[in-house]
Structures are given as C-alpha cells and as structure tokens.
Amino acid sequence: MDVVIEMQISMGTMNNWLRRYQIEGTEGLHPKRDSNLKEEGKEELERLRVIEKKYYEGQEDIEILKKFQASLGVNGKGNASKR
C-alpha cells in the first residue's frame, strides 16, 4: 500500500503491474505497443528524411536552372529578353 501512495497510482494499476510481472517477469512491465510505435516512428522519420533530401536537391536544381536561364538571357516564358 505504501508504494501506491508514494507513486500516486491506483490499486488497480498496481494489481495489473503485479499480475503482469508474475506472468511475464520484468518483460511484462515494458509496454509492448510503445515499442512498435517507436519502430514505426523511426521508419516514418527515415522516410521523411529521404523525402526532405530529395526536395532540397530539387530546389537546388531549380536554382541552378534559373541562374543558367538568366545567363542565357531567357525570361520566364522561354523568350530571349531584350537587351
């Protein structure tokens, strides 16, 4: 009972933890759903990093093409600008 008061948890939570510990040992005290979410989160983060890298590479390509286009004296409509 002291643990329940000290940790500010309900007796129901304490009983659930105790039952899981008795059945599965310390492994039963680790949330299973969170580990799956963490792994999915890592995969999603890596996927987003790849997308972000491709985006910035594309932006760099666009800037290079704009500079090249300007050096040729071509305006945005594909026509040579008048000098």
Side-chain angles (χ1 to χ4, degrees):
M1 190 71 157
D2 292 336
V3 174
V4 172
I5 295 170
E6 187 177 319
M7 294 184 67
Q8 299 178 348
I9 59 173
S10 70
M11 280 299 294
T13 299
M14 184 65 191
N15 287 332
N16 287 338
W17 289 353
L18 183 58
R19 186 174 50 253
R20 286 177 19 201
Y21 177 75
Q22 289 171 338
I23 294 170
E24 301 177 45
T26 56
E27 194 62 35
L29 300 176
H30 298 284
K32 292 168 182 61
R33 185 169 180 240
D34 286 349
S35 62
N36 289 340
L37 290 176
K38 288 179 185 176
E39 188 59 37
E40 289 172 8
K42 288 177 188 177
E43 291 171 5
E44 180 68 7
L45 184 60
E46 182 57 32
R47 187 181 76 80
L48 291 173
R49 284 185 179 140
V50 169
I51 291 170
E52 182 181 43
K53 182 180 177 192
K54 289 179 181 180
Y55 170 80
Y56 285 115
E57 287 172 353
Q59 292 300 307
E60 288 175 1
D61 291 347
I62 289 170
E63 289 303 313
I64 291 169
L65 289 171
K66 283 180 181 178
K67 289 177 183 176
F68 177 69
Q69 196 176 37
S71 72
L72 294 176
V74 177
N75 65 21
K77 297 179 182 172
N79 302 327
S81 60
K82 297 179 183 176
R83 295 185 186 194

